[in-house]
Amino acid sequence: MRNRLHFNISTFEIDEKQKLFNEIDKECLSIGYYNLPEQNIDNILEFVNSFDESVENIVVLGIGGSSLGAKAVYEFLKPVKKPWRKLYFFESTDPLNIMEILSKIELDKSHFLVISKSGTTVETISIFKYLYAKESRATRYTFITDKESPLDKFATKIGSKVFYLPKNVGGRFSVLSVVGLLPLALCGVNISELLKGAKSVKESFFNDGYLKESLLNKAMFYAKYHTTYNINCLFAYSETLRYFSEWYVQLWGESLGKKQCNSAFHVGVTPIGLIGPKDQHSFLQLIVEGTRDKSVTFIKIDDFQNELTIPNITLPYLESLDILNGITFHDLITMQSDSVIEALKAQGDIPLDEIIIERVDERSIGQLIYYYELLTSLVGKLINVNTYNQPGVESGKIILKNKLQKRSKNDK
Ligand code: PA5
């Protein structure tokens, strides 16, 4: 993984950077996600090795941090790695979506992973209730939750297998814990490689490696100019990264959009997930000519390991496009992203950077995940927010529960 910054970082003092680094280094003692790359995964691998071979579908019931990470990794790898089993996600209370997913899975060939850190999330539990009324065999379910949560107590009562989230790992930082690893491993993803990728970024950052400077500089730039460049666009040049973009939007949005600690100011950098080349034909115009309030990160894949080529044919009236003849799609998409980068650089006032991952494999996505988690923590520290809570989301949940309580009382 490489990261090239195309903006001016000369104003950052060395001691400011060292101070930021020290603060993050200290956080490793209290925030659990930092240490996930070194966790012991024997219990997950044992479970996977003894898993019922007749199960064809792994069905996750979860939302937000309990589903988006696994989905990002699964969808990234799907085009190149034939999954052992299909992975489905019930994430929405949209009845049409519930019915649609149900129509795709045979209950008898499915295993359900009910994932909720709190164990009380309305979306997850409402869908679970619906499914449990249809299929109540405890062996069909595995639960992932916090120890002693209401869901843990329920699962233990019915005799289902329960995995616990490690201590101090928040929902949106949990993809590299059992929350993401279990569903992925059950579908054949090499989770050791995923963690190795994350570990390489961790070591690079914490042991003076190649990513330390770029991560610190980038975070300091975003924080220093967060009121000017208050939008961060992630422009990923591969359809495989579509759900990674969703994961990034949640990670960035829920972690950084906050009231500052000990202040009344509301801050944040709005995340936008874009996919190239599709969004060259939509959002790009806004970046090039619109308000100068956006920074852009391009993600490129160095080697698609695919030689699909545009054939050498001439079509009447389309002769001018013979310039495409004989080019691999891999080269074409890379030339497209490079051309957009060049065009944006020429504007001179749009902060840009490029992340280049090697290929579509577990190691690369593990690197990307850990890189973004670190970047989020760094920016959060600098803009002075509590990166790991989500009071804004909680307040809506409380209002909903009150409404439901009132309704249930009135019905009685
Ligand atoms: O990142 C977070 O903390 C949230 O997005 C949660 O993951 C989401 O609200 C789901 O919560 P839970 O896992 O408790 O069901």
Side-chain angles (χ1 to χ4, degrees), residues 155-200:
T156 310
K157 186 175 167 57
I158 64 168
S160 287
K161 170 81 183 158
V162 189
F163 284 89
Y164 298 112
L165 270 96
K167 282 216 177 90
N168 302 324
V169 174
R172 59 192 169 276
F173 287 87
S174 68
V175 49
L176 298 176
S177 76
V178 63
V179 167
L181 297 183
L182 186 66
L184 291 168
L186 284 168
C187 294
V189 171
N190 185 336
I191 57 171
S192 305
E193 281 296 302
L194 192 69
L195 294 177
K196 273 186 198 154
K199 194 165 179 210
S200 69

mmCIF file of all heavy atoms in Angstrom, residues 155-200:
data_model
loop_
_atom_site.group_PDB
_atom_site.id
_atom_site.type_symbol
_atom_site.label_atom_id
_atom_site.label_comp_id
_atom_site.label_asym_id
_atom_site.label_seq_id
_atom_site.Cartn_x
_atom_site.Cartn_y
_atom_site.Cartn_z
ATOM 1 N N ALA A 155 -29.535 -15.623 24.344
ATOM 2 C CA ALA A 155 -28.849 -16.686 23.588
ATOM 3 C C ALA A 155 -28.435 -17.820 24.526
ATOM 4 O O ALA A 155 -28.565 -19.008 24.199
ATOM 5 C CB ALA A 155 -27.636 -16.097 22.883
ATOM 6 N N THR A 156 -27.951 -17.441 25.691
ATOM 7 C CA THR A 156 -27.520 -18.449 26.660
ATOM 8 C C THR A 156 -28.728 -19.277 27.121
ATOM 9 O O THR A 156 -28.651 -20.500 27.245
ATOM 10 C CB THR A 156 -26.846 -17.759 27.879
ATOM 11 O OG1 THR A 156 -25.874 -16.845 27.357
ATOM 12 C CG2 THR A 156 -26.163 -18.744 28.786
ATOM 13 N N LYS A 157 -29.847 -18.588 27.297
ATOM 14 C CA LYS A 157 -31.060 -19.291 27.743
ATOM 15 C C LYS A 157 -31.518 -20.330 26.717
ATOM 16 O O LYS A 157 -31.894 -21.454 27.085
ATOM 17 C CB LYS A 157 -32.177 -18.260 28.001
ATOM 18 C CG LYS A 157 -33.432 -18.858 28.600
ATOM 19 C CD LYS A 157 -34.427 -17.763 28.923
ATOM 20 C CE LYS A 157 -35.808 -18.287 29.239
ATOM 21 N NZ LYS A 157 -35.877 -19.233 30.325
ATOM 22 N N ILE A 158 -31.448 -19.962 25.429
ATOM 23 C CA ILE A 158 -31.925 -20.943 24.436
ATOM 24 C C ILE A 158 -30.818 -21.939 24.046
ATOM 25 O O ILE A 158 -31.044 -22.874 23.294
ATOM 26 C CB ILE A 158 -32.521 -20.273 23.162
ATOM 27 C CG1 ILE A 158 -31.457 -19.477 22.382
ATOM 28 C CG2 ILE A 158 -33.733 -19.423 23.490
ATOM 29 C CD1 ILE A 158 -31.924 -19.065 20.985
ATOM 30 N N GLY A 159 -29.604 -21.716 24.542
ATOM 31 C CA GLY A 159 -28.518 -22.675 24.307
ATOM 32 C C GLY A 159 -27.791 -22.495 22.992
ATOM 33 O O GLY A 159 -27.183 -23.445 22.479
ATOM 34 N N SER A 160 -27.816 -21.294 22.449
ATOM 35 C CA SER A 160 -27.056 -21.034 21.214
ATOM 36 C C SER A 160 -25.614 -20.657 21.545
ATOM 37 O O SER A 160 -25.307 -20.222 22.654
ATOM 38 C CB SER A 160 -27.677 -19.863 20.442
ATOM 39 O OG SER A 160 -28.868 -20.241 19.846
ATOM 40 N N LYS A 161 -24.780 -20.788 20.548
ATOM 41 C CA LYS A 161 -23.371 -20.388 20.693
ATOM 42 C C LYS A 161 -23.289 -18.852 20.718
ATOM 43 O O LYS A 161 -23.962 -18.172 19.927
ATOM 44 C CB LYS A 161 -22.606 -20.945 19.488
ATOM 45 C CG LYS A 161 -21.206 -20.457 19.336
ATOM 46 C CD LYS A 161 -20.239 -21.206 20.224
ATOM 47 C CE LYS A 161 -18.832 -20.635 20.096
ATOM 48 N NZ LYS A 161 -17.999 -20.951 21.249
ATOM 49 N N VAL A 162 -22.486 -18.324 21.627
ATOM 50 C CA VAL A 162 -22.309 -16.863 21.698
ATOM 51 C C VAL A 162 -20.811 -16.520 21.625
ATOM 52 O O VAL A 162 -19.994 -17.160 22.282
ATOM 53 C CB VAL A 162 -22.854 -16.273 23.031
ATOM 54 C CG1 VAL A 162 -22.859 -14.741 22.979
ATOM 55 C CG2 VAL A 162 -24.235 -16.793 23.349
ATOM 56 N N PHE A 163 -20.487 -15.534 20.805
ATOM 57 C CA PHE A 163 -19.140 -14.952 20.806
ATOM 58 C C PHE A 163 -19.267 -13.550 21.382
ATOM 59 O O PHE A 163 -20.263 -12.861 21.143
ATOM 60 C CB PHE A 163 -18.593 -14.826 19.376
ATOM 61 C CG PHE A 163 -18.135 -16.129 18.777
ATOM 62 C CD1 PHE A 163 -19.020 -16.929 18.070
ATOM 63 C CD2 PHE A 163 -16.816 -16.539 18.908
ATOM 64 C CE1 PHE A 163 -18.598 -18.122 17.495
ATOM 65 C CE2 PHE A 163 -16.387 -17.732 18.342
ATOM 66 C CZ PHE A 163 -17.278 -18.525 17.631
ATOM 67 N N TYR A 164 -18.217 -13.124 22.080
ATOM 68 C CA TYR A 164 -18.266 -11.789 22.699
ATOM 69 C C TYR A 164 -17.320 -10.819 21.994
ATOM 70 O O TYR A 164 -16.226 -11.205 21.574
ATOM 71 C CB TYR A 164 -17.885 -11.874 24.180
ATOM 72 C CG TYR A 164 -18.857 -12.740 24.952
ATOM 73 C CD1 TYR A 164 -18.461 -13.958 25.480
ATOM 74 C CD2 TYR A 164 -20.194 -12.346 25.100
ATOM 75 C CE1 TYR A 164 -19.367 -14.769 26.162
ATOM 76 C CE2 TYR A 164 -21.101 -13.160 25.773
ATOM 77 C CZ TYR A 164 -20.684 -14.365 26.298
ATOM 78 O OH TYR A 164 -21.582 -15.156 26.942
ATOM 79 N N LEU A 165 -17.769 -9.562 21.925
ATOM 80 C CA LEU A 165 -16.872 -8.532 21.397
ATOM 81 C C LEU A 165 -15.738 -8.314 22.389
ATOM 82 O O LEU A 165 -15.960 -8.355 23.593
ATOM 83 C CB LEU A 165 -17.612 -7.196 21.223
ATOM 84 C CG LEU A 165 -18.280 -6.984 19.875
ATOM 85 C CD1 LEU A 165 -19.733 -7.376 19.952
ATOM 86 C CD2 LEU A 165 -18.153 -5.542 19.450
ATOM 87 N N PRO A 166 -14.535 -8.072 21.888
ATOM 88 C CA PRO A 166 -13.452 -7.758 22.828
ATOM 89 C C PRO A 166 -13.751 -6.430 23.529
ATOM 90 O O PRO A 166 -14.516 -5.609 23.015
ATOM 91 C CB PRO A 166 -12.224 -7.623 21.934
ATOM 92 C CG PRO A 166 -12.664 -7.874 20.545
ATOM 93 C CD PRO A 166 -14.133 -8.047 20.494
ATOM 94 N N LYS A 167 -13.120 -6.239 24.675
ATOM 95 C CA LYS A 167 -13.378 -5.025 25.473
ATOM 96 C C LYS A 167 -12.946 -3.771 24.711
ATOM 97 O O LYS A 167 -11.938 -3.771 24.008
ATOM 98 C CB LYS A 167 -12.575 -5.098 26.774
ATOM 99 C CG LYS A 167 -13.200 -5.994 27.786
ATOM 100 C CD LYS A 167 -12.995 -5.437 29.211
ATOM 101 C CE LYS A 167 -13.700 -6.325 30.209
ATOM 102 N NZ LYS A 167 -12.845 -7.399 30.718
ATOM 103 N N ASN A 168 -13.732 -2.724 24.896
ATOM 104 C CA ASN A 168 -13.391 -1.393 24.360
ATOM 105 C C ASN A 168 -13.251 -1.323 22.850
ATOM 106 O O ASN A 168 -12.467 -0.530 22.325
ATOM 107 C CB ASN A 168 -12.098 -0.854 25.009
ATOM 108 C CG ASN A 168 -12.227 -0.778 26.499
ATOM 109 O OD1 ASN A 168 -13.300 -0.472 27.015
ATOM 110 N ND2 ASN A 168 -11.161 -1.094 27.199
ATOM 111 N N VAL A 169 -13.969 -2.192 22.149
ATOM 112 C CA VAL A 169 -13.998 -2.103 20.685
ATOM 113 C C VAL A 169 -15.397 -1.617 20.303
ATOM 114 O O VAL A 169 -16.386 -2.313 20.536
ATOM 115 C CB VAL A 169 -13.698 -3.463 20.020
ATOM 116 C CG1 VAL A 169 -13.885 -3.376 18.507
ATOM 117 C CG2 VAL A 169 -12.278 -3.906 20.350
ATOM 118 N N GLY A 170 -15.471 -0.419 19.736
ATOM 119 C CA GLY A 170 -16.769 0.151 19.364
ATOM 120 C C GLY A 170 -17.294 -0.485 18.082
ATOM 121 O O GLY A 170 -16.525 -1.059 17.298
ATOM 122 N N GLY A 171 -18.600 -0.366 17.856
ATOM 123 C CA GLY A 171 -19.238 -0.990 16.696
ATOM 124 C C GLY A 171 -18.521 -0.726 15.387
ATOM 125 O O GLY A 171 -18.108 -1.650 14.681
ATOM 126 N N ARG A 172 -18.328 0.541 15.050
ATOM 127 C CA ARG A 172 -17.760 0.859 13.727
ATOM 128 C C ARG A 172 -16.266 0.588 13.631
ATOM 129 O O ARG A 172 -15.692 0.684 12.558
ATOM 130 C CB ARG A 172 -18.089 2.303 13.349
ATOM 131 C CG ARG A 172 -17.580 3.344 14.313
ATOM 132 C CD ARG A 172 -18.172 4.710 14.046
ATOM 133 N NE ARG A 172 -17.876 5.632 15.126
ATOM 134 C CZ ARG A 172 -18.584 5.732 16.248
ATOM 135 N NH1 ARG A 172 -19.629 4.965 16.433
ATOM 136 N NH2 ARG A 172 -18.242 6.596 17.187
ATOM 137 N N PHE A 173 -15.647 0.249 14.772
ATOM 138 C CA PHE A 173 -14.231 -0.131 14.744
ATOM 139 C C PHE A 173 -14.074 -1.641 14.937
ATOM 140 O O PHE A 173 -13.003 -2.109 15.284
ATOM 141 C CB PHE A 173 -13.462 0.613 15.853
ATOM 142 C CG PHE A 173 -13.250 2.084 15.571
ATOM 143 C CD1 PHE A 173 -14.211 3.023 15.938
ATOM 144 C CD2 PHE A 173 -12.109 2.528 14.915
ATOM 145 C CE1 PHE A 173 -14.023 4.378 15.676
ATOM 146 C CE2 PHE A 173 -11.912 3.873 14.643
ATOM 147 C CZ PHE A 173 -12.868 4.804 15.023
ATOM 148 N N SER A 174 -15.177 -2.391 14.703
ATOM 149 C CA SER A 174 -15.144 -3.802 15.112
ATOM 150 C C SER A 174 -14.963 -4.796 13.971
ATOM 151 O O SER A 174 -14.981 -5.999 14.200
ATOM 152 C CB SER A 174 -16.426 -4.147 15.888
ATOM 153 O OG SER A 174 -17.545 -4.116 15.023
ATOM 154 N N VAL A 175 -14.761 -4.312 12.741
ATOM 155 C CA VAL A 175 -14.715 -5.263 11.619
ATOM 156 C C VAL A 175 -13.584 -6.282 11.770
ATOM 157 O O VAL A 175 -13.735 -7.438 11.359
ATOM 158 C CB VAL A 175 -14.647 -4.524 10.253
ATOM 159 C CG1 VAL A 175 -13.607 -3.459 10.225
ATOM 160 C CG2 VAL A 175 -14.399 -5.496 9.103
ATOM 161 N N LEU A 176 -12.494 -5.886 12.398
ATOM 162 C CA LEU A 176 -11.380 -6.839 12.533
ATOM 163 C C LEU A 176 -11.492 -7.675 13.813
ATOM 164 O O LEU A 176 -10.561 -8.393 14.170
ATOM 165 C CB LEU A 176 -10.039 -6.101 12.485
ATOM 166 C CG LEU A 176 -9.760 -5.358 11.161
ATOM 167 C CD1 LEU A 176 -8.451 -4.582 11.229
ATOM 168 C CD2 LEU A 176 -9.738 -6.315 9.965
ATOM 169 N N SER A 177 -12.631 -7.581 14.496
ATOM 170 C CA SER A 177 -12.896 -8.461 15.647
ATOM 171 C C SER A 177 -13.800 -9.582 15.148
ATOM 172 O O SER A 177 -14.126 -9.654 13.957
ATOM 173 C CB SER A 177 -13.595 -7.674 16.761
ATOM 174 O OG SER A 177 -14.963 -7.479 16.413
ATOM 175 N N VAL A 178 -14.281 -10.394 16.063
ATOM 176 C CA VAL A 178 -15.176 -11.506 15.709
ATOM 177 C C VAL A 178 -16.397 -11.027 14.906
ATOM 178 O O VAL A 178 -16.943 -11.770 14.079
ATOM 179 C CB VAL A 178 -15.588 -12.273 17.003
ATOM 180 C CG1 VAL A 178 -16.383 -11.391 17.954
ATOM 181 C CG2 VAL A 178 -16.350 -13.537 16.682
ATOM 182 N N VAL A 179 -16.775 -9.759 15.109
ATOM 183 C CA VAL A 179 -17.940 -9.196 14.407
ATOM 184 C C VAL A 179 -17.802 -9.327 12.887
ATOM 185 O O VAL A 179 -18.733 -9.724 12.185
ATOM 186 C CB VAL A 179 -18.128 -7.702 14.801
ATOM 187 C CG1 VAL A 179 -19.102 -6.986 13.877
ATOM 188 C CG2 VAL A 179 -18.580 -7.606 16.240
ATOM 189 N N GLY A 180 -16.607 -8.990 12.382
ATOM 190 C CA GLY A 180 -16.385 -9.129 10.942
ATOM 191 C C GLY A 180 -15.740 -10.465 10.598
ATOM 192 O O GLY A 180 -16.028 -11.066 9.572
ATOM 193 N N LEU A 181 -14.847 -10.925 11.484
ATOM 194 C CA LEU A 181 -14.047 -12.112 11.150
ATOM 195 C C LEU A 181 -14.889 -13.378 11.048
ATOM 196 O O LEU A 181 -14.653 -14.222 10.170
ATOM 197 C CB LEU A 181 -12.940 -12.311 12.193
ATOM 198 C CG LEU A 181 -11.897 -11.182 12.297
ATOM 199 C CD1 LEU A 181 -10.819 -11.545 13.316
ATOM 200 C CD2 LEU A 181 -11.247 -10.881 10.949
ATOM 201 N N LEU A 182 -15.880 -13.536 11.937
ATOM 202 C CA LEU A 182 -16.646 -14.793 11.916
ATOM 203 C C LEU A 182 -17.446 -14.959 10.613
ATOM 204 O O LEU A 182 -17.299 -15.975 9.926
ATOM 205 C CB LEU A 182 -17.549 -14.903 13.155
ATOM 206 C CG LEU A 182 -18.268 -16.238 13.269
ATOM 207 C CD1 LEU A 182 -17.288 -17.389 13.494
ATOM 208 C CD2 LEU A 182 -19.305 -16.231 14.381
ATOM 209 N N PRO A 183 -18.293 -13.977 10.251
ATOM 210 C CA PRO A 183 -19.017 -14.169 8.985
ATOM 211 C C PRO A 183 -18.085 -14.340 7.796
ATOM 212 O O PRO A 183 -18.341 -15.163 6.910
ATOM 213 C CB PRO A 183 -19.866 -12.894 8.836
ATOM 214 C CG PRO A 183 -19.418 -11.945 9.877
ATOM 215 C CD PRO A 183 -18.700 -12.729 10.933
ATOM 216 N N LEU A 184 -16.971 -13.604 7.797
ATOM 217 C CA LEU A 184 -16.054 -13.687 6.654
ATOM 218 C C LEU A 184 -15.370 -15.052 6.599
ATOM 219 O O LEU A 184 -15.288 -15.679 5.533
ATOM 220 C CB LEU A 184 -15.011 -12.565 6.735
ATOM 221 C CG LEU A 184 -15.579 -11.150 6.507
ATOM 222 C CD1 LEU A 184 -14.572 -10.078 6.882
ATOM 223 C CD2 LEU A 184 -16.032 -10.970 5.046
ATOM 224 N N ALA A 185 -14.922 -15.536 7.762
ATOM 225 C CA ALA A 185 -14.228 -16.834 7.780
ATOM 226 C C ALA A 185 -15.184 -17.950 7.365
ATOM 227 O O ALA A 185 -14.791 -18.882 6.663
ATOM 228 C CB ALA A 185 -13.660 -17.096 9.170
ATOM 229 N N LEU A 186 -16.440 -17.842 7.769
ATOM 230 C CA LEU A 186 -17.426 -18.878 7.387
ATOM 231 C C LEU A 186 -17.651 -18.904 5.872
ATOM 232 O O LEU A 186 -18.145 -19.876 5.324
ATOM 233 C CB LEU A 186 -18.756 -18.635 8.111
ATOM 234 C CG LEU A 186 -18.782 -19.024 9.599
ATOM 235 C CD1 LEU A 186 -20.033 -18.484 10.277
ATOM 236 C CD2 LEU A 186 -18.694 -20.538 9.776
ATOM 237 N N CYS A 187 -17.302 -17.805 5.209
ATOM 238 C CA CYS A 187 -17.474 -17.751 3.747
ATOM 239 C C CYS A 187 -16.153 -17.977 3.024
ATOM 240 O O CYS A 187 -16.069 -17.784 1.811
ATOM 241 C CB CYS A 187 -18.075 -16.408 3.356
ATOM 242 S SG CYS A 187 -19.729 -16.234 3.977
ATOM 243 N N GLY A 188 -15.112 -18.352 3.768
ATOM 244 C CA GLY A 188 -13.860 -18.735 3.122
ATOM 245 C C GLY A 188 -12.831 -17.629 3.007
ATOM 246 O O GLY A 188 -11.798 -17.814 2.367
ATOM 247 N N VAL A 189 -13.090 -16.482 3.625
ATOM 248 C CA VAL A 189 -12.102 -15.399 3.588
ATOM 249 C C VAL A 189 -10.933 -15.768 4.505
ATOM 250 O O VAL A 189 -11.143 -16.276 5.614
ATOM 251 C CB VAL A 189 -12.752 -14.059 4.037
ATOM 252 C CG1 VAL A 189 -11.709 -12.973 4.227
ATOM 253 C CG2 VAL A 189 -13.798 -13.629 3.028
ATOM 254 N N ASN A 190 -9.728 -15.538 4.040
ATOM 255 C CA ASN A 190 -8.545 -15.833 4.836
ATOM 256 C C ASN A 190 -8.346 -14.697 5.853
ATOM 257 O O ASN A 190 -7.745 -13.660 5.547
ATOM 258 C CB ASN A 190 -7.340 -15.966 3.909
ATOM 259 C CG ASN A 190 -6.102 -16.403 4.656
ATOM 260 O OD1 ASN A 190 -5.984 -16.203 5.865
ATOM 261 N ND2 ASN A 190 -5.174 -17.006 3.937
ATOM 262 N N ILE A 191 -8.871 -14.917 7.053
ATOM 263 C CA ILE A 191 -8.872 -13.825 8.037
ATOM 264 C C ILE A 191 -7.472 -13.576 8.611
ATOM 265 O O ILE A 191 -7.182 -12.496 9.088
ATOM 266 C CB ILE A 191 -9.927 -14.032 9.153
ATOM 267 C CG1 ILE A 191 -9.733 -15.362 9.880
ATOM 268 C CG2 ILE A 191 -11.335 -13.904 8.591
ATOM 269 C CD1 ILE A 191 -10.624 -15.513 11.124
ATOM 270 N N SER A 192 -6.597 -14.587 8.542
ATOM 271 C CA SER A 192 -5.217 -14.357 9.014
ATOM 272 C C SER A 192 -4.552 -13.328 8.106
ATOM 273 O O SER A 192 -3.847 -12.424 8.573
ATOM 274 C CB SER A 192 -4.385 -15.634 8.962
ATOM 275 O OG SER A 192 -5.032 -16.628 9.676
ATOM 276 N N GLU A 193 -4.777 -13.461 6.812
ATOM 277 C CA GLU A 193 -4.197 -12.507 5.862
ATOM 278 C C GLU A 193 -4.773 -11.104 6.056
ATOM 279 O O GLU A 193 -4.081 -10.100 5.929
ATOM 280 C CB GLU A 193 -4.465 -12.966 4.420
ATOM 281 C CG GLU A 193 -3.542 -14.066 3.958
ATOM 282 C CD GLU A 193 -2.082 -13.610 3.906
ATOM 283 O OE1 GLU A 193 -1.793 -12.639 3.202
ATOM 284 O OE2 GLU A 193 -1.252 -14.232 4.589
ATOM 285 N N LEU A 194 -6.069 -11.073 6.343
ATOM 286 C CA LEU A 194 -6.737 -9.786 6.590
ATOM 287 C C LEU A 194 -6.042 -9.068 7.759
ATOM 288 O O LEU A 194 -5.710 -7.877 7.683
ATOM 289 C CB LEU A 194 -8.201 -10.080 6.930
ATOM 290 C CG LEU A 194 -9.195 -8.958 6.956
ATOM 291 C CD1 LEU A 194 -9.444 -8.424 5.559
ATOM 292 C CD2 LEU A 194 -10.545 -9.460 7.524
ATOM 293 N N LEU A 195 -5.809 -9.832 8.824
ATOM 294 C CA LEU A 195 -5.160 -9.249 10.003
ATOM 295 C C LEU A 195 -3.700 -8.903 9.727
ATOM 296 O O LEU A 195 -3.183 -7.911 10.247
ATOM 297 C CB LEU A 195 -5.269 -10.208 11.205
ATOM 298 C CG LEU A 195 -6.695 -10.433 11.723
ATOM 299 C CD1 LEU A 195 -6.701 -11.450 12.854
ATOM 300 C CD2 LEU A 195 -7.342 -9.133 12.204
ATOM 301 N N LYS A 196 -3.057 -9.723 8.884
ATOM 302 C CA LYS A 196 -1.656 -9.402 8.545
ATOM 303 C C LYS A 196 -1.581 -8.067 7.810
ATOM 304 O O LYS A 196 -0.669 -7.270 8.021
ATOM 305 C CB LYS A 196 -1.056 -10.500 7.659
ATOM 306 C CG LYS A 196 -0.465 -11.642 8.451
ATOM 307 C CD LYS A 196 0.243 -12.611 7.526
ATOM 308 C CE LYS A 196 0.427 -13.940 8.232
ATOM 309 N NZ LYS A 196 0.521 -15.070 7.319
ATOM 310 N N GLY A 197 -2.556 -7.835 6.922
ATOM 311 C CA GLY A 197 -2.600 -6.558 6.202
ATOM 312 C C GLY A 197 -2.734 -5.407 7.193
ATOM 313 O O GLY A 197 -2.001 -4.414 7.135
ATOM 314 N N ALA A 198 -3.670 -5.552 8.142
ATOM 315 C CA ALA A 198 -3.886 -4.506 9.149
ATOM 316 C C ALA A 198 -2.612 -4.303 9.963
ATOM 317 O O ALA A 198 -2.189 -3.173 10.246
ATOM 318 C CB ALA A 198 -5.048 -4.907 10.057
ATOM 319 N N LYS A 199 -1.958 -5.431 10.301
ATOM 320 C CA LYS A 199 -0.752 -5.351 11.136
ATOM 321 C C LYS A 199 0.369 -4.600 10.414
ATOM 322 O O LYS A 199 1.119 -3.839 11.034
ATOM 323 C CB LYS A 199 -0.294 -6.766 11.491
ATOM 324 C CG LYS A 199 0.708 -6.792 12.590
ATOM 325 C CD LYS A 199 0.880 -8.168 13.156
ATOM 326 C CE LYS A 199 1.940 -8.079 14.253
ATOM 327 N NZ LYS A 199 2.695 -9.254 14.412
ATOM 328 N N SER A 200 0.450 -4.786 9.104
ATOM 329 C CA SER A 200 1.533 -4.113 8.381
ATOM 330 C C SER A 200 1.346 -2.589 8.443
ATOM 331 O O SER A 200 2.310 -1.835 8.544
ATOM 332 C CB SER A 200 1.616 -4.608 6.932
ATOM 333 O OG SER A 200 0.496 -4.168 6.200
#
